[in-house]
Amino acid sequence: MSATAMIRAMRPHHWLKNGLVFIPILLNHDVFDPAALWHGLIAFIAFSLIASAVYLLNDIKDVEADRRHPTKCKRPLAAGEITTRQAYAAVPILLAAAFATVPLVPEPRIFLLSLLAYLVLALAYLLVLKRKLLVDVLGLATMHTLRILAGNAAAAIPVSSWLLAFSMFLFLSLALVKRYAELRITQDHSGLKSAGRGYHAEDIEALSQLGMASGCTCALIMALYIDSAAVKQLYRHPELIWLVCPIILYQMARIWFLARRGDMPDDPLVFMIRDWRSQLMGLVVVVIMVAASVLP
């Protein structure tokens, strides 16, 4: 077995998405708290290990379909670089290592529940939900939101209903981008059927409309959040946060424009983390939030 092939099968480039566990720490202004950052790192490692285990199970289940896919055929299992038996053997090791981190956080019971909820939902998505119309994108959005909840649990930070609402609509829009991009690759009717999805080629425009509406809703939630009591407690100048709203609209619109042009990879969250324009927009948002907090 090639060790590098096994590592690639675990999809470490997707671990970037688990950085979502740090969002509650950042928004709670605990970025200079070593204990909070340490507990966030533990949550990041745990979710990365669980996600890799699920990726391996997914590749085992879909190996034949992946071999017929124009891009997924390059995955190590589909390409024959590792065997199914080797992939199966790695799964319990990854899961055991992930759950071994539970006693290391201040709220182990809640953190354990978040890990279990993510694992159960990920397995349900793998076995059933991924073939269900719209339920699949709702499942993906929920799995991303669970990462944020795990960050709350790991660092013992109270859950914000505003953050949950924003996250669900944001991740729903990104999940719809992901499905939209996949449908563009396999637009012929037989390809969609063989992939086991619940979509047809004519659904692609409806996915686009629903995704753009979800993205705009994120900006609306942010606008409503600015006038909430929570903002007034955390920020000296909450009015500056209004500048974040057009950035959200720009970013979501740009993601969808790229997707409609066929220039979007199948995972928009990873794309946003790597894309320099998205990084710049993220930096501008951070500067705005810091200014709203520290300006006299």
Side-chain angles (χ1 to χ4, degrees):
M1 180 187 68
S2 168
T4 55
M6 178 59 76
I7 292 173
R8 284 192 293 110
M10 292 165 58
R11 305 188 204 177
H13 59 287
H14 282 269
W15 293 350
L16 294 171
K17 295 185 289 187
N18 298 315
L20 293 170
V21 300
F22 291 102
I23 295 296
I25 297 171
L26 296 175
L27 294 181
N28 201 51
H29 299 179
D30 289 336
V31 290
F32 298 110
D33 183 348
L37 292 175
W38 168 245
H39 294 138
L41 179 60
I42 291 171
F44 175 85
I45 294 171
F47 268 85
S48 297
L49 294 171
I50 292 178
S52 291
V54 175
Y55 290 144
L56 288 172
L57 290 173
N58 177 78
D59 289 353
I60 292 169
K61 183 177 180 293
D62 294 344
V63 61
E64 294 302 326
D66 287 350
R67 286 170 178 161
R68 298 189 297 269
H69 195 276
T71 58
K72 295 179 181 180
C73 62
K74 299 176 183 179
R75 291 177 176 174
L77 193 62
E81 297 178 43
I82 61 173
T83 67
T84 301
R85 184 175 180 179
Q86 291 165 346
Y88 268 127
V91 170
I93 297 174
L94 292 170
L95 292 178
F99 284 100
T101 64
V102 170
L104 303 178
V105 300
E107 297 285 348
R109 187 178 65 85
I110 300 175
F111 184 57
L112 174 62
L113 289 175
S114 65
L115 290 181
L116 287 173
Y118 177 84
L119 178 59
V120 169
L121 183 57
L123 292 176
Y125 176 83
L126 172 63
L127 298 174
V128 179
L129 301 184
K130 68 187 296 184
R131 297 188 294 273
K132 303 298 182 181
L133 178 68
L134 296 181
V135 177
D136 59 340
V137 291
L138 290 170
L140 286 173
T142 303
M143 282 190 281
H144 288 318
T145 304
L146 280 171
R147 290 174 166 95
I148 292 179
L149 288 174
N152 284 105
I157 295 172
V159 176
S160 166
S161 58
W162 289 104
L163 179 57
L164 287 183
F166 181 86
S167 301
M168 278 302 299
F169 281 101
L170 171 65
F171 297 134
L172 176 59
S173 184
L174 296 180
L176 287 162
V177 171
K178 176 180 173 69
R179 191 63 69 236
Y180 180 94
E182 290 176 349
L183 287 176
R184 282 190 64 92
I185 296 175
T186 55
Q187 279 204 36
D188 64 286
H189 197 72
S190 60
L192 295 179
K193 287 293 187 181
S194 65
R197 303 295 188 183
Y199 298 91
H200 302 297
E202 56 268 25
D203 297 330
I204 195 166
E205 189 60 32
L207 285 176
S208 173
Q209 293 172 1
L210 180 58
M212 288 188 284
S214 298
C216 291
T217 304
C218 295
L220 174 61
I221 293 172
M222 177 61 72
L224 294 173
Y225 170 70
I226 293 169
D227 197 40
S228 69
V231 167
K232 294 173 182 177
Q233 291 177 357
L234 289 171
Y235 300 95
R236 293 181 179 178
H237 299 281
E239 65 277 5
L240 290 178
I241 304 178
W242 277 106
L243 298 173
V244 176
C245 294
I247 294 175
I248 294 172
L249 289 172
Y250 165 78
Q251 184 65 20
M252 300 309 298
R254 178 171 173 267
I255 290 292
W256 274 102
F257 268 81
L258 291 174
R260 291 177 66 88
R261 292 174 182 176
D263 296 332
M264 174 60 57
D266 63 355
D267 196 315
L269 187 56
V270 174
F271 170 81
M272 289 173 63
I273 293 172
R274 293 177 170 179
D275 174 54
W276 72 267
R277 289 184 178 86
S278 300
Q279 293 169 358
L280 178 60
M281 291 298 100
L283 178 61
V284 172
V285 168
V286 170
V287 170
I288 292 170
M289 303 296 269
V290 170
S293 302
V294 303
L295 285 180

